[in-house]
């Protein structure tokens, strides 16, 4: 990404509409190590180890933002993914995905990935154990801490199949946390563009203009914290965005 855009608040408007799983990609794609390993994988013609190391099922060009590419995280990391298997005997009336037009579809060693996009959101499904879009399907929901989030995602998919419309899910992020993540992303880009903490504070918060008060100004600590948040998310903390509990309406 072009880190120089950090001076423009409007350049980050797209972040407000991103799902946490997409926002996680925005942080990862800024990681210099990921850039280096991606270029190396292109030269070697093999990206499986690269993807697995970073939590992706398919390596993605870091030049592409989440508003331009579908991001497929490993299913056990991303709680918003719906796992689907063949419906058991006696459940031949179970729905399939044959009537849906995916925004993108991939076949991998661990299953077939299927993402649907709508103006009301997105939903990603992974068909495993030999299932495919044309077979009667059943949701597979592990009995672990992710059960509520995965159940909510499966219910959205079920309702979309029965009603023909994808319902808008409650934003897992509070407005305050979303704004903080947006600011942290700008601060991270500014720091990667070699901006000083004082420059960041002036652009992000409008001050301080007086260099004499900078060392003791409250904006100094606030700016440094934002940069640290951004760096932590870029260096692996982005995975926590894949495990945010579902909020109820």
């Amino acid at each position: 990404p072009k880190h120089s855009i950090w001076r423009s608040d409007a350049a980050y408007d797209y972040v407000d509409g991103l799902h946490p799983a997409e926002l996680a990609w925005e942080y990862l794609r800024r990681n210099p190590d990921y850039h280096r390993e991606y270029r190396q994988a292109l030269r070697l013609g093999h990206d499986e180890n690269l993807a697995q190391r970073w939590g992706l099922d398919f390596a993605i060009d870091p030049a592409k933002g989440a508003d331009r590419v579908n991001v497929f995280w490993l299913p056990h990391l991303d709680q918003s993914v719906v796992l689907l298997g063949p419906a058991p005997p006696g459940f031949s009336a179970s729905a399939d995905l044959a009537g849906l037009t995916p925004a993108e579809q991939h076949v991998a060693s661990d299953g077939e990935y299927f993402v649907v996009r709508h103006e009301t959101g997105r939903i990603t499904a992974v068909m495993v154990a030999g299932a495919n879009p044309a077979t009667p399907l059943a949701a597979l929901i592990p009995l672990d801490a992710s059960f509520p989030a995965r159940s909510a995602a499966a219910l959205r998919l079920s309702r979309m199949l029965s009603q023909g419309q994808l319902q808008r899910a409650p934003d897992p992020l509070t407005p305050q946390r979303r704004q903080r993540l947006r600011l942290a992303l700008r601060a991270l880009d500014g720091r990667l563009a070699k901006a000083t903490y004082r420059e960041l504070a002036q652009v992000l918060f409008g001050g301080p203009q007086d260099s004499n008060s900078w060392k003791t100004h409250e904006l100094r600590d606030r700016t440094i914290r934002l940069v640290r948040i951004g760096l932590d998310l870029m260096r692996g903390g982005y995975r926590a965005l894949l495990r945010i509990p579902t909020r109820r309406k």
Side-chain angles (χ1 to χ4, degrees):
K2 297 180 179 179
H3 304 306
S4 58
I5 67 170
W6 73 273
R7 292 182 177 275
S8 170
D9 181 54
Y12 294 80
D13 284 347
Y14 75 99
V15 172
D16 294 340
L18 295 181
H19 185 275
E22 296 169 321
L23 191 52
W25 167 244
E26 285 298 319
Y27 280 99
L28 171 57
R29 77 186 188 98
R30 286 161 165 78
N31 189 305
D33 291 335
Y34 179 83
H35 279 245
R36 184 180 64 255
E37 292 183 23
Y38 179 79
R39 291 193 298 268
Q40 182 179 16
L42 286 182
R43 289 195 301 271
L44 299 176
H46 184 69
D47 65 8
E48 182 177 350
N49 292 335
L50 163 72
Q52 297 278 328
R53 168 165 144 70
W54 297 99
L56 298 165
D57 218 297
F58 310 95
I60 303 172
D61 183 351
K64 296 180 179 179
D67 56 337
R68 297 175 49 213
V69 67
N70 293 306
V71 183
F72 294 91
W73 297 100
L74 293 173
H76 69 277
L77 297 177
D78 186 358
Q79 294 184 359
S80 68
V81 170
V82 181
L83 296 170
L84 298 171
F91 289 84
S92 59
S94 291
D96 57 44
L97 304 185
L100 297 181
T101 301
E104 193 166 345
Q105 195 169 357
H106 280 292
V107 176
S109 59
D110 58 343
E112 186 169 349
Y113 287 70
F114 195 99
V115 61
V116 176
R117 284 187 175 274
H118 191 269
E119 61 182 13
T120 54
R122 61 186 279 281
I123 194 159
T124 302
V126 181
M127 285 156 281
V128 299
N132 65 70
T135 59
L137 299 167
L140 306 177
I141 305 177
L143 296 174
D144 59 16
S146 71
F147 186 88
R150 294 189 188 277
S151 297
L155 183 59
R156 285 182 73 222
L157 176 60
S158 176
R159 287 175 174 169
M160 180 181 66
L161 293 171
S162 62
Q163 301 172 8
Q165 182 176 343
L166 182 61
Q167 294 182 343
R168 188 181 301 277
D171 191 346
L173 299 170
T174 63
Q176 294 80 6
R177 187 173 185 186
R178 184 173 285 281
Q179 176 62 16
R180 188 171 180 81
L181 287 168
R182 172 175 169 156
L183 277 174
L185 194 64
R186 284 186 70 190
L188 173 64
D189 280 344
R191 199 62 178 161
L192 292 173
K194 308 301 182 184
T196 65
Y197 289 121
R198 186 181 168 210
E199 286 178 303
L200 288 170
Q202 288 173 334
V203 173
L204 296 180
F205 307 116
Q209 302 301 321
D210 181 11
S211 60
N212 294 326
S213 65
W214 170 240
K215 287 188 177 181
T216 57
H217 201 283
E218 63 92 12
L219 285 178
R220 182 176 183 272
D221 288 341
R222 184 180 178 187
T223 302
I224 291 173
R225 283 196 301 270
L226 275 177
V227 171
R228 286 175 178 169
I229 290 171
L231 288 171
D232 287 345
L233 286 165
M234 181 186 75
R235 292 168 177 166
Y238 61 85
R239 294 186 182 219
L241 293 173
L242 306 175
R243 302 189 298 271
I244 296 175
T246 299
R247 292 172 64 210
R248 299 193 179 192
K249 292 185 178 179

